[in-house]
Amino acid sequence: MNRREIIKGGIVAGALGALPARVFAQPMAGSLRDRELFAIAKRELDKAGDAIWKRDIVGIADYGVRSSEPRFHFVNLGLGKVDSYHVSHGTGSDPEHDGWLNNYSNVEGSNATSKGAYVTWEWYKGRYGTSVRLGGLDPTNDNALRRYIVMHRAKYAEQSHLERWGRLGRSNGCFAMGEDQFRIALLNLSGGRLLYADSLGLAADGSRVTPPAPEPKPDLKILQPDPPQGEQILHPGVY
């Protein structure tokens, strides 16, 4: 490749980021799941408007799929393709630690994942090394900056952890990824792009994933001991 071709390629790549979503190519793979992800990416870009200033790649975290599956989708609108990786969810969203996200929260201290659209901001050095700040764009995640919800690398999101435990570890609500996959995210999804999180439940073949029903909680009444005969209960429920 000569110097003129390299310069030309750089100009084209830069122009893709400025193009409106409506002119991007359709997914090359043509799978049912990828077509739906493509439509969601364009829908959320339209909703976000000027809050997003790089519109070539959209990240979609599908928390309707178990953490053992690649559920963080890089929807490349310029090339018309989807690449999928692993991502963790928060401890407050999965208290059973079974790999399934059960609930979202936008509350400080919940350690839960928040749903909605985010804008990716600048890199910074934090507890997990280089990380990416996020700004929540919806009422369901507008506390993201205050809660320190970011994208970062983590050992509990590595393939080795998945192979040992059959699921990823949990974050404090952040989008945690393995080293290699986070490096891809750092280069392709930071600096003003859109990240969207929701429970879509899209399997690789386009079918819908059905999470298992939560296990019933034990009846606490059965666990309470009977008071001794003739003894007055001064503090009911305390024993």
Side-chain angles (χ1 to χ4, degrees):
M1 180 179 289
N2 58 39
R3 184 171 182 270
R4 179 177 297 177
E5 290 174 334
I6 294 174
I7 295 174
K8 181 179 178 181
I11 293 173
V12 171
L16 282 173
L19 288 174
R22 62 179 178 273
V23 303
F24 289 124
Q26 293 300 312
M28 293 178 181
S31 73
L32 181 63
R33 185 202 66 177
D34 290 359
R35 289 198 298 270
E36 187 159 352
L37 289 171
F38 209 79
I40 292 169
K42 292 194 291 183
R43 181 194 74 197
E44 294 302 319
L45 280 173
D46 289 342
K47 286 175 59 179
D50 294 339
I52 305 299
W53 58 93
K54 290 185 179 179
R55 308 170 73 85
D56 52 347
I57 301 174
V58 173
I60 299 179
D62 182 358
Y63 286 120
V65 177
R66 193 170 185 265
S67 68
S68 55
E69 301 300 321
R71 56 181 183 173
F72 194 116
H73 308 294
F74 284 42
V75 183
N76 192 316
L77 297 166
L79 298 179
K81 69 171 186 174
V82 175
D83 294 313
S84 303
Y85 306 100
H86 289 95
V87 67
S88 292
H89 54 244
T91 57
S93 294
D94 178 13
E96 298 88 358
H97 200 359
D98 60 4
W100 292 96
L101 181 143
N102 299 322
N103 61 276
Y104 296 95
S105 178
N106 193 31
V107 176
E108 290 185 67
S110 67
N111 292 331
T113 298
S114 298
K115 69 186 299 184
Y118 299 80
V119 56
T120 62
W121 285 337
E122 77 281 4
W123 304 1
Y124 76 100
K125 290 286 187 179
R127 176 183 176 186
Y128 293 97
T130 302
S131 304
V132 180
R133 296 189 198 277
L134 300 175
L137 302 178
D138 291 322
T140 54
N141 66 356
D142 57 5
N143 280 331
L145 188 62
R146 188 178 299 110
R147 294 180 59 209
Y148 301 100
I149 302 302
V150 301
M151 293 175 59
H152 65 74
R153 57 173 60 82
K155 291 183 178 179
Y156 56 76
E158 294 285 357
Q159 182 67 28
S160 57
H161 188 284
L162 177 60
E163 291 173 355
R164 180 178 181 183
W165 301 104
R167 63 189 184 283
L168 299 186
R170 300 166 297 172
S171 69
N172 288 333
C174 294
F175 298 83
M177 307 177 74
E179 175 71 33
D180 293 339
Q181 298 183 346
F182 176 73
R183 188 179 296 115
I184 296 171
L186 195 65
L187 296 175
N188 293 278
L189 200 58
S190 59
R193 291 181 172 89
L194 177 70
L195 192 165
Y196 180 67
D198 200 357
S199 295
L200 305 171
L202 294 173
D205 62 1
S207 62
R208 293 287 174 175
V209 174
T210 303
E215 295 184 6
K217 296 181 180 179
D219 188 350
L220 296 181
K221 292 181 180 179
I222 298 177
L223 302 179
Q224 293 179 3
D226 295 328
Q229 292 292 330
E231 183 175 319
Q232 184 180 7
I233 301 178
L234 301 178
H235 302 286
V238 178
Y239 54 89

